[in-house]
Amino acid sequence: MDKRFYVTTPIYYVNAEPHIGHAYTTILADFLKRHYRLLGYDAYFLTGTDEHGDKIVKAASEAGAKPREYADRISALFRDTWKRMGLEFDDFIRTTEERHRTAVQSVLQRVYDAGDIYFASYGGHYCFGCERFFTEKDMVDGKCPDHNTPLEYIEESNYFFRMSKYQAWLAEYIKANPDFIRPERYRNEVLAMLDGETLEDLCISRPKTRLKWGITLPFDDKFVTYVWFDALINYISAIGYPEDDRFKRYWPVVNHLIAKDIVKPHGIFWPTMLKAAGIEPFLHLNVHGYWNMEDAKMSKSLGNVVRPLDLIDRFGNDQIRYFFLREMNFGADARFSEEAIINRVNYDLANDLGNLVKRTFDMVKKFFDGKIPARDPGETAGLDAISAKYSEALSAYTGQVDAFQFSTGIERLWEFVRLLNRYIDERKPWLLAREKRTAELSSVMRNLLESIAGLAVVLSPILNRTAPVILSALGLPAESGLDAVSSLDALTPDTALGEMGVLYPRMEKEKQVVEQKPKAAEKNAAGPNAGEGLIDISEFARVDIRVAKILEAAPVEGSEKLLELRVDSGLDTRTIIAGLAPHYTPESLVGKKILLVANLKPAVLFKRTSHGMLLAAKKDKKDRPVLIELSDNIPVGARLS
Ligand code: MSP
C-alpha cells in the first residue's frame, strides 16, 4: 500500500476559548503530519469544533448571544489560534456545516434501516453539564461524578442505539488488535468496561421541546441528535463520507488523538456506531494523559500564559513544541510548569543542541573563514562511526514515533546530539588548528556540519521555525528531505555559512511577584514536630521513585568518578550520570534492577545531562555507596509508595 497517514484531533467544544490542553493535542497532530510527510507519506490532518448541544446553548445565552453567532465567534477563535501558531491542518470541520449534517443524517438513516435504532420510553438520572444520563452505578451519592452536582430524574421517550448488540464483537476486536487502542492502559480500561455487565443502549436523541440546537433526526423531525453521536461522525464527514475519494483514501489509515477524558465515547460509542453503519473500524485510537496545571495556576508569571498564543510569545514556538513532545510520556499525565519548560529549553535546546550548532559555526568561521570545508580524502575523522550512530538514532527515533513514544524517541536523537558535543571535546579542533593538522580539521568540521544538517532535517517537524534557519545557513533548501542528508554528504564545499544567531536563548525563571507562604492549615498539618525535619506525606509523594533496569554503562571520559548509564525506567529509556566509577565496574552494573528517582530536575555533569538519580546507601560520608538492588520479580516501572 502506498504511504498514507490521517491524523485527527478531538473537535473542541465552543463553550470555552482555546487553552494549552487543546494546544497540546493540536500541536501533536501537526507534528505527526509533518513527520510522516517528511518520511514520504501522503499525510492529512483534521481538526475542528463541536458546536451543538445544551452546553453551547447555555454558554451562548450567558454571553448574551444566539447559539450560531456564539459558535461562529469561538470556532473562528480556535481556527485563528491554530493558524497563528503555524499549524498546518488540511481541513477544519464545524459540526454546524451542511456537509456534516448530511453525513450524520446518512449514518443515522443507515443504522435505523438496519434495525439498530429503536424508540422507547426512558427514565434516568440526567446531568445537564455532561448532557448525558448516568446509570446508578456511575453516579456518586446521587451526583454527577464530573460536576458534583445533583442529577435530575427525567422521563422521556427517545431513540436508542442498540450498542449492546456489538459489545461482544468489540471486545473480541480489541483483543485481536492490540494496537487498536493505545497505550495499553487505555485499551485495558475499555476492555474492563466491556467485560462483565451488558452495555446500556445509547440514547441518541433529544426532543426538540427540550433542545433545538442540533441535527434533526432524518426519520423523526421532532428530535435532534445527541451531541456525541453527531460529533464523532466529524472524522468521516470531513473527508466526504460516503462517496468522496478522500474518504476511501484516508479512512483506512486514520489515527485519532484524544486525551483520557473522552475514552468512552471514542473507545465504545464510536467503533460500535461504525460497525452498525457498515463502516470499517478506525485504525488507531491514541490516548494521551493530562497536563497537570496546578503549578501554572500557582505561578503568577504563568497566570497569563495559559492561552496558547501567550505561551508561544513567552517561551517561543519551537521551545513549546519541543517541551510538549519531550516532556510528556504519551499516555501518562505530565506536569505543566514554567520551571519544567525552562529546564527543557536551557538543558536540551540551549546547552545540548544550540551549543553544538554555535560551537561548530564559530569554529568554521575562525578556521575556514566561514566556508564549508571539503573532507580530506585521506582522513575521514571517524565519519563511519558518526554515520552509523546517525542512522541508528534516526531509526530508533522513527520507530519510537511509530509507537507513539515521542519522548523516548527524542531522547535517542539527543544521544546523538551529545555524542557530537563529545566528538568536539575529543577531537579538539582548536588543537588541530594550532598544530596545522588541516586534513583532520577539515574532515572533523565537515562531519559536524553534515551531522547538524541531518539533525535539522529530522527535527524539522518539531522545530519547524529553527530547523529551516539552520538548513538555510548551511546552504540547503529549508524543506530538505531525509534522503538529501542520509549519507551525511549533503553540503557543498566552499559555500559560505549564513549568519547564525543564538537559536535558543537561555531563559530565566520570572521572579515570583507574591511570595507563596504556607497556609495556616498546612502548618498545622505538619504537626507538633514541624520544623524538626519531619515531612508531610504529600511531600514524600512528590518524589517519584521507580524500579528501573540498567541497560548500558560506560565511563565518562575525563572523569574518574562518573559513569554514564542508560536505564529503562518503565516510562522511557534515559541517561543517568552517577558517581559510581570508584565502586562499580561498568560491566557489573548492566542488568541490575535498581531504584531511580525519576522526577529529579535534569542536571548537567561533564556536559552530559543526567535525568534522575539512582538510590544507594552508605553509612557515613566516607563509606562505599551500595546500590539498592531489587529482585527480579519486581517489574520495571513499578513506583514506590
Ligand atoms: N467536543 C468534545 C470532543 C468531541 S470529539 C468527537 C470535547 N471537547 S473539549 O473541548 O473538551 O476537548 C477535550 C480535549 O482537549 C481532550 O481530549 C484533549 O485532547 C484536550 N485537552 C483538554 N484539556 C487537556 C489537558 N489538561 N491536558 C491534555 N489535553 C487536554 O471533549
Side-chain angles (χ1 to χ4, degrees):
M1 185 162 85
D2 57 338
K3 304 201 291 187
R4 280 174 263 150
F5 183 81
Y6 171 33
V7 63
T8 69
T9 71
I11 46 171
Y12 305 114
Y13 284 131
V14 290
N15 65 343
E17 298 192 357
H19 60 72
I20 65 143
H22 302 130
Y24 169 71
T25 318
T26 319
I27 285 177
L28 177 57
D30 180 75
F31 157 71
L32 286 166
K33 174 185 164 165
R34 291 171 193 263
H35 175 80
Y36 283 104
R37 187 175 56 193
L38 183 66
L39 297 187
Y41 283 63
D42 166 4
Y44 196 81
F45 161 21
L46 172 71
T47 188
T49 43
D50 189 356
E51 306 184 11
H52 288 131
D54 285 317
K55 234 200 275 252
I56 311 304
V57 175
K58 199 161 155 251
S61 97
E62 278 165 12
K66 296 229 166 66
R68 181 166 302 274
E69 288 160 13
Y70 181 74
D72 283 352
R73 181 154 61 79
I74 308 286
S75 177
L77 191 63
F78 271 96
R79 192 191 171 97
D80 199 47
T81 300
W82 305 149
K83 278 259 173 247
R84 286 170 60 188
M85 283 165 61
L87 306 187
E88 294 185 341
F89 49 87
D90 294 283
D91 197 353
F92 186 98
I93 181 91
R94 300 184 54 189
T95 54
T96 46
E97 286 176 80
E98 183 58 18
R99 58 174 175 155
H100 179 68
R101 185 185 64 79
T102 28
V104 170
Q105 291 184 330
S106 134
V107 170
L108 281 163
Q109 193 65 52
R110 279 180 86 152
V111 179
Y112 185 73
D113 291 344
D116 283 342
I117 290 178
Y118 62 91
F119 192 60
S121 179
Y122 180 83
H125 308 278
Y126 192 76
C127 170
F128 283 88
C130 303
E131 295 172 29
R132 55 169 282 215
F133 288 96
F134 279 86
T135 59
E136 302 273 346
K137 192 172 71 144
D138 290 337
M139 54 197 222
V140 179
D141 299 332
K143 288 185 181 161
C144 164
D146 293 334
H147 291 89
N148 200 25
T149 47
L151 296 169
E152 229 169 282
Y153 189 83
I154 54 177
E155 224 168 80
E156 62 190 25
S157 293
N158 260 317
Y159 286 89
F160 288 83
F161 165 49
R162 236 181 263 286
M163 204 156 70
S164 54
K165 179 173 159 190
Y166 298 102
Q167 180 168 1
W169 163 79
L170 181 57
E172 279 316 304
Y173 192 85
I174 295 174
K175 282 175 192 153
N177 295 276
D179 282 347
F180 184 54
I181 300 173
R182 60 186 178 183
E184 206 183 347
R185 68 178 84 177
Y186 298 107
R187 172 175 183 259
N188 293 340
E189 197 176 289
V190 174
L191 277 175
M193 295 180 212
L194 293 169
D195 265 359
E197 284 169 52
T198 313
L199 279 184
E200 288 202 21
D201 287 344
L202 186 67
C203 177
I204 55 145
S205 65
R206 299 290 182 264
K208 282 194 182 168
T209 47
R210 175 148 74 77
L211 176 72
K212 289 193 181 59
W213 184 238
I215 296 177
T216 302
L217 293 184
F219 40 81
D220 190 340
D221 64 7
K222 293 186 290 309
F223 290 84
V224 293
T225 312
Y226 167 50
V227 66
W228 269 107
F229 200 98
D230 154 358
L232 288 159
I233 292 172
N234 90 86
Y235 301 130
I236 56 176
S237 68
I239 50 169
Y241 167 81
E243 290 305 331
D244 202 290
D245 276 350
R246 277 172 313 154
F247 175 68
K248 291 171 192 144
R249 188 161 182 72
Y250 296 121
W251 183 245
V253 291
V254 67
N255 267 277
H256 294 313
L257 301 182
I258 60 164
K260 62 182 186 180
D261 53 340
I262 48 179
V263 166
K264 187 169 180 186
H266 283 83
I268 295 188
F269 304 175
W270 185 221
T272 55
M273 284 165 61
L274 289 165
K275 180 76 179 162
I279 304 167
E280 283 299 304
F282 52 77
L283 186 63
H284 296 299
L285 175 64
N286 305 287
V287 187
H288 61 76
Y290 250 49
W291 284 98
N292 193 334
M293 305 284 290
E294 276 160 55
D295 285 17
K297 276 198 203 121
M298 267 162 41
S299 149
K300 267 250 158 200
S301 52
L302 263 195
N304 53 358
V305 298
V306 282
R307 286 176 42 213
L309 288 172
D310 295 337
L311 188 66
I312 301 278
D313 273 357
R314 159 93 169 91
F315 297 99
N317 179 80
D318 290 12
Q319 285 82 345
I320 289 299
R321 289 172 71 97
Y322 177 82
F323 168 77
F324 271 155
L325 287 159
R326 176 66 181 85
E327 189 76 8
M328 181 174 257
N329 285 300
F330 195 83
D333 288 353
R335 230 156 51 95
F336 181 88
S337 70
E338 181 187 35
E339 193 181 10
I341 300 172
I342 290 180
N343 278 342
R344 285 288 172 211
V345 171
N346 286 351
Y347 291 120
D348 299 11
L349 292 177
N351 275 9
D352 291 342
L353 181 62
N355 211 13
L356 168 68
V357 176
K358 172 132 186 47
R359 290 165 93 189
T360 306
F361 270 61
D362 283 352
M363 287 190 287
V364 174
K365 252 190 203 139
K366 192 160 170 199
F367 306 138
F368 295 97
D369 202 19
K371 300 220 173 75
I372 297 176
R375 275 190 186 109
D376 189 278
E379 171 61 85
T380 66
L383 174 63
D384 288 352
I386 291 181
S387 286
K389 287 286 181 199
Y390 174 68
S391 331
E392 222 176 84
L394 181 62
S395 77
Y397 168 72
T398 50
Q400 295 289 349
V401 174
D402 286 342
F404 272 57
Q405 289 303 313
F406 313 110
S407 182
T408 317
I410 294 172
E411 174 58 25
R412 299 307 298 266
L413 286 183
W414 248 251
E415 280 167 20
F416 183 63
V417 172
R418 290 192 286 265
L419 175 132
L420 294 175
N421 274 321
R422 283 204 297 277
Y423 178 73
I424 298 181
D425 300 342
E426 283 157 14
R427 294 273 171 170
K428 300 187 178 48
W430 50 94
L431 278 190
L432 300 178
R434 201 180 312 147
E435 291 166 10
K436 305 229 168 351
R437 288 151 68 186
T438 321
E440 192 179 346
L441 179 63
S442 314
S443 296
V444 167
M445 294 319 299
R446 181 65 181 276
N447 290 349
L448 285 165
L449 291 168
E450 294 282 357
S451 302
I452 290 171
L455 276 167
V457 172
V458 182
L459 286 168
S460 58
I462 308 177
L463 306 174
N464 64 324
R465 298 262 155 84
T466 41
V469 171
I470 300 174
L471 290 170
S472 310
L474 290 166
L476 292 176
E479 304 259 301
S480 297
L482 275 175
D483 284 352
V485 288
S486 60
S487 45
L488 300 189
D489 195 17
L491 305 177
T492 312
D494 247 9
T495 310
L497 290 182
E499 266 314 307
M500 178 66 60
V502 178
L503 287 170
Y504 314 104
R506 289 184 63 83
M507 303 201 78
E508 294 278 340
K509 230 185 123 179
E510 269 186 18
K511 295 262 178 315
Q512 210 78 341
V513 185
V514 183
E515 265 248 331
Q516 300 269 333
K517 291 208 179 97
K519 292 189 203 98
E522 280 171 16
K523 272 194 200 154
N524 294 341
N529 289 319
E532 290 174 23
L534 295 185
I535 60 166
D536 201 72
I537 183 87
S538 64
E539 285 173 71
F540 173 70
R542 289 186 58 210
V543 188
D544 184 359
I545 303 178
R546 281 170 195 268
V547 177
K549 187 171 178 173
I550 302 179
L551 305 174
E552 293 163 30
V556 168
E557 245 190 55
S559 163
E560 283 172 9
K561 284 207 177 124
L562 299 178
L563 291 180
E564 180 167 353
L565 312 173
R566 295 278 312 152
V567 307
D568 176 3
S569 70
L571 301 167
D572 51 23
T573 311
R574 56 172 81 191
T575 303
I576 307 283
I577 308 298
L580 294 172
H583 316 290
Y584 290 87
T585 61
E587 310 76 64
S588 69
L589 290 170
V590 175
K592 277 194 199 310
K593 270 194 184 167
I594 40 76
L595 288 175
L596 164 76
V597 182
N599 61 344
L600 209 61
K601 272 185 227 164
V604 179
L605 299 158
F606 273 72
K607 296 217 165 70
R608 288 151 182 85
T609 312
S610 182
H611 298 271
M613 178 179 106
L614 307 189
L615 291 187
K618 55 182 172 182
K619 238 174 145 185
D620 56 51
K621 268 203 151 169
K622 281 175 275 147
D623 218 26
R624 164 183 192 266
V626 181
L627 275 175
I628 317 281
E629 283 185 58
L630 300 159
S631 72
D632 240 9
N633 54 11
I634 306 182
V636 165
R639 191 173 168 181
L640 232 72
S641 56

